[in-house]
Amino acid sequence: MIDFIICVSTNLFRVYLIRRFMQIFFGRREEGKGKEKEILAYGGFFIINTVAYLMFHLVWVNIICNLTGIGLIVLLYTKSLKMNLFVTCSIYLIHIGCDTISVLPFMEYRDGESFTQIYAVISVFLIFICELFTEKIISERKQTENVQNFALVSVPLCSVIMLCLLIYTKDNAGLGLIIISVGLLMANFLIFYLYNMLSSTLSQKYENDVLRQKIQNYSNQIEIMLQGEEKVKALRHDMKHHMSELKLMAMKHENKAIQDYISDMEAFIENPNEIVSSGNVEIDSVLNYMLQRAKKELRIVNVKVQIPAAVSHFFDLNVILGNLLENAIEAAKQTEEKQLDVSIKLRQGVMRIKIENSFNGRIKKGQQGLLTTKKKKEQHGIGLSNVKKIVEKYNGIMEICPHEKRFCVKLILYMSKIEN
């Protein structure tokens, strides 16, 4: 009975790991999309595989059930025969390899004979470790996550070591070993379940923060546009008086007075809050919001923006400009010069971004690159990392150039690839 419970638990865990493998190869599916088919496929595979093992204990039956079941599950994600064969064989080779490693060192296995399910628990932990390494390789996680990856792999790895030591301990009771195995299996499942929930929550929080920042940018830009519209209305209302005055000065040949009068009209229309006016509302909203803050906190702010009004905008550009400008303003604020230079140009489908600021010359470096020097380290230090990921996502180029009293970040983004 106890072996039956462990067998069902380990097979259930195997199905969970197969689903994680599918997410590695094909990504997460949208909520509600094909959910019923997934439940039927994974549930059917679990039931058939468990029953076949308990009834026959034959290797060839195990091979047929697993290959067929995994192959049918892969059909939910892709119709490509080559991809199906590759994913199915890759997953099953990992499973059968871990089964072999977990059984052969401890006993002389004979086809058709049953054996204690403690070895199945070890096999599941080994498959879990392989899944984590596969996830790291295929999804190309960055160096900033190395500590997390090591900690995650350590959980099932320590469980395997503990079980191996217990199996070789002669004084250990069989029932105690079974209880420990089930406990470790449940603990690993709960740890990774909670980890996935935490990762999803943090990801949603970050997206909400970016969206909130974007809303503030739009609100600020709308306010700027309304201010400009009010001034244009006021000027239009008094236009007859202005034209009469200009006509009178022209009749008197007062050229200097005409120039001064027109300059006063331009100054009246000019909006001090509209620092950038490229014609692209979305990009202008980000830049105006951040540069207004820079104007208040810094002494020198130089801006050069050459972007067509018709250029398509994308969500990641908000992240890039927001993070780079926020870091630059924070760093420049701590110096005597308090200077910020921003240059954004788009020519022939290539966007070049250069943000340079004065800084105090102190740089902290770690294994993953530059570290934050800000006081609240739990809230900062991820800006450049996020920018770097986005640049790599679009096969762009990012160059960080720290000098004695200047810190410069240069980016090259290929807009044609972004639009595609």
Side-chain angles (χ1 to χ4, degrees):
M1 184 61 184
I2 295 176
D3 272 356
F4 172 78
I5 295 173
I6 298 178
C7 177
V8 172
S9 301
T10 52
N11 273 352
L12 188 61
F13 209 176
R14 282 174 185 264
V15 173
Y16 167 72
L17 292 176
I18 289 173
R19 188 171 186 275
R20 286 178 62 99
F21 273 111
M22 296 302 169
Q23 290 177 350
I24 292 172
F25 286 106
F26 304 107
R28 294 182 179 272
R29 305 186 77 180
E30 296 180 6
E31 288 294 330
K33 188 177 181 180
K35 199 70 175 179
E36 294 180 357
K37 290 183 179 179
E38 271 192 334
I39 294 173
L40 289 174
Y42 285 107
F45 173 73
F46 164 71
I47 293 171
I48 294 172
N49 196 40
T50 304
V51 171
Y53 172 78
L54 291 173
M55 289 182 63
F56 301 105
H57 301 295
L58 295 173
V59 173
W60 66 269
V61 174
N62 178 64
I63 293 174
I64 292 174
C65 287
N66 277 276
L67 285 176
T68 305
I70 296 172
L72 291 174
I73 290 173
V74 175
L75 283 176
L76 296 174
Y77 301 88
T78 179
K79 301 300 180 183
S80 171
L81 180 60
K82 290 183 179 179
M83 189 64 180
N84 193 312
L85 291 173
F86 170 75
V87 175
T88 302
C89 292
S90 298
I91 294 174
Y92 184 66
L93 283 174
I94 292 174
H95 279 241
I96 197 172
C98 293
D99 287 339
T100 304
I101 294 171
S102 63
V103 173
L104 293 184
F106 304 104
M107 61 175 291
E108 185 178 347
Y109 176 75
R110 293 181 182 179
D111 194 19
E113 294 183 358
S114 62
F115 56 88
T116 177
Q117 291 298 301
I118 301 299
Y119 305 121
V121 177
I122 296 176
S123 178
V124 166
F125 287 144
L126 291 176
I127 295 170
F128 212 155
I129 294 171
C130 293
E131 187 273 334
L132 291 171
F133 278 114
T134 305
E135 185 176 356
K136 176 178 172 58
I137 293 170
I138 293 181
S139 59
E140 297 180 355
R141 289 185 174 179
K142 308 306 173 187
Q143 292 181 348
T144 52
E145 297 177 338
N146 280 345
V147 176
Q148 288 183 6
N149 291 331
F150 177 76
L152 289 175
V153 173
S154 298
V155 175
L157 184 60
C158 290
S159 300
V160 171
I161 294 172
M162 288 175 62
L163 284 175
C164 291
L165 292 174
L166 288 171
I167 289 172
Y168 279 114
T169 301
K170 295 181 180 179
D171 297 333
N172 188 69
L175 182 59
L177 183 59
I178 292 171
I179 294 173
I180 292 172
S181 300
V182 175
L184 287 173
L185 191 64
M186 294 301 298
N188 276 261
F189 178 81
L190 290 174
I191 287 172
F192 282 89
Y193 177 73
L194 293 173
Y195 171 77
N196 286 337
M197 287 184 61
L198 182 61
S199 298
S200 177
T201 302
L202 291 175
S203 177
Q204 289 178 4
K205 183 179 180 300
Y206 175 74
E207 290 179 0
N208 289 337
D209 289 341
V210 174
L211 183 60
R212 192 179 299 109
Q213 181 69 44
K214 190 172 182 179
I215 292 172
Q216 290 178 346
N217 295 342
Y218 284 145
S219 176
N220 180 73
Q221 185 65 19
I222 290 172
E223 186 178 347
I224 290 174
M225 294 171 69
L226 289 175
Q227 290 174 358
E229 187 175 348
E230 288 295 326
K231 290 192 174 186
V232 170
K233 285 182 179 179
L235 185 65
R236 187 185 299 124
H237 181 269
D238 297 328
M239 186 58 69
K240 290 182 180 180
H241 304 293
H242 296 311
M243 295 301 294
S244 299
E245 187 67 25
L246 287 171
K247 186 177 180 180
L248 182 60
M249 287 187 287
M251 291 174 62
K252 296 180 179 179
H253 303 288
E254 297 177 353
N255 296 333
K256 183 64 171 61
I258 293 174
Q259 293 176 4
D260 293 340
Y261 197 91
I262 294 174
S263 298
D264 291 339
M265 292 175 66
E266 291 176 345
F268 177 80
I269 296 175
E270 188 175 306
N271 191 342
N273 294 323
E274 190 174 29
I275 303 170
V276 177
S277 181
S278 66
N280 189 297
V281 177
E282 293 179 314
I283 295 178
D284 289 348
S285 65
V286 180
L287 293 176
N288 282 322
Y289 181 81
M290 298 302 299
L291 292 175
Q292 279 180 37
R293 176 183 162 192
K295 289 275 188 179
K296 293 177 182 177
E297 299 181 354
L298 305 180
R299 295 177 183 172
I300 305 173
V301 178
N302 299 318
V303 184
K304 293 181 180 179
V305 179
Q306 297 177 1
I307 300 176
V311 66
S312 62
H313 180 66
F314 63 106
F315 177 80
D316 290 336
L317 186 56
N318 269 345
V319 179
I320 291 176
L321 294 175
N323 278 314
L324 290 182
L325 288 172
E326 183 176 1
N327 288 345
I329 294 169
E330 287 292 331
K333 192 168 62 173
Q334 300 173 14
T335 64
E336 294 182 1
E337 295 86 357
K338 298 184 185 299
Q339 181 172 349
L340 173 67
D341 298 321
V342 179
S343 175
I344 304 175
K345 297 179 181 179
L346 178 62
R347 291 180 181 176
Q348 298 179 346
V350 179
M351 179 177 284
R352 299 177 185 272
I353 301 174
K354 179 181 178 182
I355 297 179
E356 187 173 2
N357 60 275
S358 56
F359 87 120
N360 54 24
R362 294 195 300 270
I363 297 178
K364 291 184 179 180
K365 292 186 178 180
Q367 293 181 349
Q368 290 81 34
L370 300 180
L371 302 177
T372 181
T373 57
K374 299 173 184 176
K375 295 180 180 180
K376 296 182 179 180
K377 294 179 174 55
E378 70 279 1
Q379 298 178 6
H380 300 284
I382 61 173
L384 287 177
S385 175
N386 287 335
V387 172
K388 184 177 180 182
K389 289 179 181 179
I390 293 173
V391 172
E392 291 176 351
K393 175 181 175 182
Y394 297 111
N395 299 319
I397 300 172
M398 176 177 178
E399 183 180 358
I400 301 175
C401 310
H403 299 291
E404 291 184 0
K405 292 186 178 181
R406 305 286 290 178
F407 191 92
C408 181
V409 179
K410 300 178 182 178
L411 301 181
I412 295 178
L413 299 174
Y414 300 100
M415 296 302 292
S416 58
K417 293 183 179 181
I418 293 170
E419 289 170 2
N420 293 333

